[in-house]
Amino acid sequence: MSTHFFGDGNIGSPPEFREIPNGNEEPRRVLRLNVYFDNPVPGKDGFEDRGGFWAPVEWWHRDAEQWATLFQKGMRVQVSGREERDDWTDDDDKPRTTYRINARGVSILPYRIASVTMRPKSATGESPAATDE
């Protein structure tokens, strides 16, 4: 079972990148994020969180490795995709249900970002080392 999903949230742990072998073809790449999707409601003293939920987000993308270096814990993101339900049994044979987001797109929202510095790539194709400015 799946349904369309669209939500804003914060990344709760460092991103996880994996390559999965695909026979003789190029390996499939996935970026896994653990995101807390909140429900902010305006109040007297700013916004108040009126309940939310944690959800694992999987983004299958050929450039997932590059995105893994960009996303950081605490970063605010917007996720669109499909919500998928996984039914399973735990070690005590109790039925469990987990919901995960199979993302079509993950966008960085400009909250909590102090600055962005754009630098040209070096001749080897790698980004230059960061320096204190």
Side-chain angles (χ1 to χ4, degrees), residues 90-133:
D90 64 12
D91 294 337
D92 297 328
D93 289 329
K94 292 182 181 177
R96 303 286 185 184
T97 300
T98 303
Y99 291 91
R100 69 180 150 80
I101 310 302
N102 188 340
R104 288 194 188 109
V106 180
S107 304
I108 297 172
L109 297 175
Y111 310 109
R112 299 184 186 156
I113 296 177
S115 68
V116 176
T117 304
M118 303 296 283
R119 298 185 182 148
K121 286 187 176 182
S122 66
T124 62
E126 294 185 20
S127 298
T131 57
D132 291 331
E133 297 176 9

Side-chain angles (χ1 to χ4, degrees), residues 10-32:
N10 292 67
I11 299 174
S13 58
E16 179 185 338
F17 167 74
R18 288 199 181 168
E19 279 190 339
I20 299 167
N22 193 17
N24 293 333
E25 298 179 24
E26 187 174 332
R28 298 190 66 206
R29 295 173 179 91
V30 64
L31 178 63
R32 292 188 173 134

Side-chain angles (χ1 to χ4, degrees), residues 2-80:
S2 70
T3 185
H4 183 72
F5 178 84
F6 188 84
D8 297 351
N10 292 67
I11 299 174
S13 58
E16 179 185 338
F17 167 74
R18 288 199 181 168
E19 279 190 339
I20 299 167
N22 193 17
N24 293 333
E25 298 179 24
E26 187 174 332
R28 298 190 66 206
R29 295 173 179 91
V30 64
L31 178 63
R32 292 188 173 134
L33 304 169
N34 190 24
V35 179
Y36 179 74
F37 294 98
D38 54 2
N39 181 23
V41 176
K44 295 178 193 174
D45 302 323
F47 285 92
E48 176 185 330
D49 185 10
R50 294 257 179 103
F53 60 95
W54 286 96
V57 175
E58 290 185 348
W59 191 22
W60 296 85
H61 195 280
R62 62 187 170 101
D63 295 327
E65 186 173 18
Q66 293 172 349
W67 285 104
T69 61
L70 182 62
F71 291 126
Q72 298 174 13
K73 178 180 176 180
M75 190 175 275
R76 187 88 175 156
V77 292
Q78 186 174 72
V79 178
S80 64

